Each structure stands twice: as C-alpha cells, then as structure tokens.
Amino acid sequence: SGIGRVTVLRLLDAGWHVVVAGRSAPKFDDQELSRGPHLHRNASMDFLPLDLADLDFVQDCAKGFLSLGLPLDALVLNAGVAGMRGQTEQGFELAFGLNHLGHFLLTQLLLEKLRQSAPSRVVTVASRAHYFAQDGIDWSKVRKASRSWFGVKDYAASKLANIWFSRVLARQLASDKVSCYSLHPGVVKTGIWRYAPVWFKPVLGVRSMLTPEQGAMTSLHCILHAPQHETGLYYANCRPVFPSTMGRNE
C-alpha cells in the first residue's frame, strides 16, 4: 500500500517485471493502471506471500523468488510499521524486527542472485526519523516489546539500522557492482500512521503531508536513476543528503 503501491505502478509503466512480496496481493483497477503514459506491453507482475515479522516466512519467500528463475535487478526494501507494540515471532521488538531484521535476512538470502544480476541495486526506504536515535541502538531492548506510547524511539532505531545496513552493504558489494541506497521518502500520508494514538491523529490531519505519489519519487529515483558511484549514500528529495551524525558513524 502507500509508497510501495505507487512504486509498483510506476515500474509497471516502465515495463518492469515486478515481483511484489507482502501480506496480501495488491489489487489494481483499470483506472490506476492507466495513470501513467501507458502500461508497457512488456510489464508483468507476480506475487509472493511475505510476513517480515516471521523470519521463517522470510526464508520461504526468498526460496519462492529463487524458484521463479528471474534476475534481480533491484531489491526494494519498502515495508514499515510504526506506533505498534509487540514482538515478532522470534521475540524481537516489532519495529526493529520487521523494519530491519526481516529486510536484512531477505537481502542476505538473495545476495548471490543480486551478484549474478549485476549491475543491480538494493534500495532501502529509511526515514528522517533516524535522527531521533541520537545515542544509537540500545541492543538490550531489541528483544523486548516496546514500552513507549507511540514507539517513536523504537521506530527511529529501526530506521537508523536501515541506514547502517545500507552503508555497510554498499562497501561489501562495491566490487560486485551491486549499488545500495537508503532514503527518506518525506512525511507521507499512508497507512503507516494507522496505529497512531487517537489523540495524535488530529495532528496528522493538519500537518502538511506528501501524497504517496510524491513520497515514491525518491524511491523511484534510487531504483532507476541514482548513479553507481553514489552507492552507500542516503537520499531525500531525489538527491544525496547527509544522514545524522550517528547515521554516519562507521
């Protein structure tokens, strides 16, 4: 949904074969598919079930993708949860487990396919919220359920982990011609806010927020246009920007 949905539509417009991995298959009507210049005649879409909060599910999804026999030109790590308390199936704090660990494992399982498909890329949707993780990640808490009201610190830690992961992966894969980018999509009005407390939702209503179409622009730039020599960088508004001081901490 949200940014991911728009990303899929625009890649279909460009003629990509898109494999969507998620908890439910997306449904596009004819009007949505006609918003681009046209639906490219070579475009196609497959679906694989995936629950990032269960690492066993992640392994099954990776096996499912590999069984398709397709190249992997771009792996887009787009899923996210905010403001939701709980733990993953393996006992990790939910935001950290879903936003980072699920993506981390999926990428590890598909690394050889990315190398075989080079030049390829890994695009991670992070967030400017990583600035709130000024002290880094409290590793003693990643196996405990969140105790905060809205989970802001937990979300921030997971987004910091996204940025660290992208930077390290870029160094590891540089010689393999696999580029890695992390990004802030903007403050976007999507379903990620559905778990906000009742008292917080009026604030969301008055704050100026981007549409999903606007929020997907930086993701699409990193998938389609970001130069290989900018691998490891963090993007916002379709250009490289500095992450927080902690985000640059090697």
Side-chain angles (χ1 to χ4, degrees):
S1 62
I3 297 169
R5 186 182 186 86
V6 175
T7 302
V8 170
L9 283 167
R10 297 291 79 81
L11 291 176
L12 290 173
D13 286 339
W16 282 54
H17 182 165
V18 183
V19 180
V20 181
R23 286 174 294 182
S24 59
K27 295 181 175 63
F28 301 116
D29 57 36
D30 292 340
Q31 184 178 2
E32 286 180 304
L33 292 174
S34 65
R35 284 180 184 172
H38 58 281
L39 180 61
H40 197 286
R41 61 187 177 86
N42 293 325
S44 58
M45 185 177 71
D46 285 319
F47 172 74
L48 291 172
L50 172 62
D51 181 356
L52 285 163
D54 185 341
L55 299 181
D56 293 334
F57 221 128
V58 175
Q59 294 189 62
D60 289 342
C61 180
K63 290 176 184 176
F65 177 79
L66 294 173
S67 71
L68 297 175
L70 297 170
L72 183 54
D73 298 301
L75 175 62
V76 185
L77 308 177
N78 173 83
V81 63
M84 191 175 176
R85 301 181 191 182
Q87 291 174 285
T88 67
E89 285 296 315
Q90 286 73 29
F92 291 94
E93 188 278 316
L94 191 60
F96 184 82
L98 194 153
N99 296 353
H100 171 60
L101 282 182
H103 285 140
F104 173 88
L105 178 59
L106 183 64
T107 305
Q108 298 302 314
L109 296 170
L110 297 176
L111 276 185
E112 189 54 38
K113 178 60 71 173
L114 285 163
R115 291 188 178 102
Q116 294 170 2
S117 307
S120 56
R121 51 190 60 200
V122 180
V123 176
T124 305
V125 180
S127 172
R128 189 174 61 194
H130 80 277
Y131 272 85
F132 292 112
Q134 296 178 357
D135 299 321
I137 296 174
D138 186 342
W139 301 105
S140 69
K141 293 183 178 179
V142 298
R143 276 194 173 273
K144 300 177 182 177
S146 174
R147 294 182 179 181
S148 64
W149 180 250
F150 190 26
V152 172
K153 289 185 177 180
D154 304 303
Y155 181 72
S158 73
K159 296 290 108 177
L160 176 62
N162 287 160
I163 292 169
W164 280 346
F165 175 47
S166 183
R167 288 168 65 88
V168 171
L169 196 65
R171 291 201 302 271
Q172 293 176 346
L173 299 178
S175 62
D176 296 314
K177 295 186 178 180
V178 181
S179 307
C180 305
Y181 313 92
S182 60
L183 65 100
H184 170 57
V187 182
V188 187
K189 191 170 185 178
T190 69
I192 197 169
W193 300 104
R194 63 188 176 276
Y195 299 112
V198 173
W199 59 264
F200 187 73
K201 291 186 177 180
V203 177
L204 298 176
V206 299
R207 181 170 182 175
S208 178
M209 302 178 89
L210 301 179
T211 65
E213 287 76 13
Q214 294 169 322
M217 294 302 294
T218 303
S219 294
L220 289 165
H221 176 80
C222 290
I223 297 166
L224 299 170
H225 306 300
Q228 188 174 6
H229 70 264
E230 291 180 352
T231 183
L233 298 186
Y234 168 71
Y235 277 72
N237 295 317
C238 298
R239 60 183 178 86
V241 298
F242 285 114
S244 69
T245 301
M246 185 59 69
R248 301 193 300 273
N249 186 324
E250 298 297 335

